[in-house]
Amino acid sequence: MKKYLTLSILCITVLFVAHAAHAGTLFRLPFSSNPGYISWYDHNSASGAMTRYDCGTGYYYDGHNGTDFASSMGTTVLAGASGSLYYRLDGCSDSGADQTCGGSYGNHVRISHPSDGKVSIYAHLKNGTVVWPQSILCGGSVGQSGNSGYSTGPHMHFELWQNVNIGSRIDFYGGACGGSSYWVNQNNGWPTTTCQ
Ligand SMILES: [Zn+2]
């Protein structure tokens, strides 16, 4: 009997762990349609080499900590998942005249996601980001794509933190050279607009 009990507990534990791997916040594409990519997250910044999530090549640079979408000036940027706005910054030049403004993020918005404490960052926006305090639903507008902060042309830098600390940055993409995917549907590198 004791053996069966132990086995049952083991099975329940395994089931729980398997389930837990799928819990947490997953993200949609932060636009109504995909503007294309400029740069991916680099998984190999320490060595000076560049490694994308799928070990592939592409337009990315050493030590890049987010995903750059090639969105044009004024493109509406959408929340990738529901959460609460806990930080925003406006006041940086829309044209990238001050590269250090906003800690190089320029005008940006940070959304905290309550199910697991992850934080999504929407950077280099135009002035006029969403006002706070405010809860934001998945797909809600957070602002418009711009060229503020450390940016050499209009695009949106999308970043994922495991918690409120900048040192916890991770990739949205999962693959052989990355980790788990945090997209609702990674769709072979072209995430869909489906909310979790
Ligand atoms: Zn970037």
Side-chain angles (χ1 to χ4, degrees):
M1 185 63 193
K2 194 179 176 194
K3 190 187 269 182
Y4 289 118
L5 185 64
T6 307
L7 192 62
S8 300
I9 290 169
L10 186 67
C11 287
I12 289 165
T13 305
V14 167
L15 277 171
F16 177 76
V17 169
H19 225 77
H22 297 282
T25 309
L26 299 176
F27 296 83
R28 59 159 283 168
L29 180 77
F31 300 96
S32 60
S33 62
N34 203 315
Y37 304 131
I38 299 172
S39 182
W40 280 265
Y41 184 105
D42 178 17
H43 286 268
N44 197 17
S45 57
S47 73
M50 296 178 282
T51 306
R52 203 172 71 176
Y53 69 98
D54 61 354
C55 314
T57 58
Y59 297 105
Y60 54 111
Y61 67 83
D62 194 33
H64 191 232
N65 291 307
T67 300
D68 285 346
F69 289 93
S71 46
S72 56
M73 187 72 84
T75 305
T76 300
V77 178
L78 307 174
S82 297
S84 56
L85 181 66
Y86 87 95
Y87 183 85
R88 70 184 284 255
L89 182 87
D90 265 14
C92 301
S93 164
D94 287 341
S95 63
D98 183 355
Q99 298 271 303
T100 61
C101 192
S104 80
Y105 289 119
N107 303 313
H108 71 283
V109 166
R110 302 179 190 185
I111 297 176
S112 173
H113 304 283
S115 65
D116 55 5
K118 284 195 174 58
V119 174
S120 53
I121 317 287
Y122 309 74
H124 309 310
L125 304 179
K126 287 180 70 175
N127 276 283
T129 56
V130 65
V131 294
W132 61 295
Q134 186 175 321
S135 292
I136 296 179
L137 294 175
C138 179
S141 173
V142 301
Q144 293 186 322
S145 195
N147 187 28
S148 60
Y150 188 63
S151 176
T152 55
H155 74 285
M156 200 281 277
H157 174 97
F158 195 33
E159 209 167 271
L160 178 61
W161 299 3
Q162 296 189 71
N163 53 53
V164 295
N165 300 313
I166 194 169
S168 68
R169 291 184 284 202
I170 52 175
D171 194 357
F172 286 99
Y173 287 88
C177 285
S180 300
S181 174
Y182 293 96
W183 297 112
V184 173
N185 183 355
Q186 184 164 299
N187 192 31
N188 295 317
W190 298 95
T192 68
T193 57
T194 304
C195 285
Q196 186 172 21

